[in-house]
Amino acid sequence: MAGSVKEFTDANWKSEVLDSSVPVIVDFWAPWCGPCRMLAPTIEKIAEEFGEKVKVGKMNTDENSDTPGGLRISAIPTVLVFQGGKEVDRLVGVNPINKFKDTLGKLGVA
């Protein structure tokens, strides 16, 4: 389903993110986090706008601790961008949509 925000977990991390053939945007969040809720519409808009070109998803840090811990996620919201299984950018806090578009532009996604 194009344009939908996926749910990433410790269990599907490798198949969904590291092995992805397209760039992946991962929003690390928690239900109690106010800034995370403020960022959610931006993440949804990126998923809608970039559809098949980028995989967009969220990982609940309360339910999944192995992956965020291994990636040194110390504050939420933190958004990581992966390409070819490697982290290529890290955006901490509530960022405007243009920051995400700039990052994707550097990866050749328009």
Side-chain angles (χ1 to χ4, degrees):
M1 183 158 121
S4 64
V5 177
K6 299 183 175 296
E7 182 178 345
F8 298 136
T9 64
D10 288 337
N12 72 12
W13 181 256
K14 184 177 182 329
S15 63
E16 288 286 344
V17 179
L18 301 182
D19 295 340
S20 177
S21 60
V22 298
V24 184
I25 292 177
V26 185
D27 175 17
F28 292 89
W29 73 289
W32 49 264
C33 169
C36 298
R37 290 194 301 273
M38 289 171 52
L39 183 61
T42 300
I43 297 298
E44 290 165 13
K45 190 166 172 84
I46 290 287
E48 288 169 16
E49 192 168 327
F50 290 93
E52 297 295 319
K53 300 178 200 167
V54 177
K55 189 182 292 187
V56 180
K58 299 167 81 70
M59 178 176 274
N60 184 330
T61 58
D62 284 350
E63 295 174 357
N64 302 279
S65 58
D66 293 346
T67 302
L71 293 168
R72 301 174 323 282
I73 303 296
S74 58
I76 53 174
T78 293
V79 177
L80 300 187
V81 182
F82 287 83
Q83 186 173 40
K86 305 275 186 238
E87 179 184 333
V88 295
D89 206 355
R90 180 179 290 237
L91 300 161
V92 179
V94 179
N95 286 282
I97 195 164
N98 289 346
K99 276 237 187 190
F100 296 98
K101 289 181 178 181
D102 289 348
T103 294
L104 292 173
K106 290 176 192 168
L107 299 177
V109 177

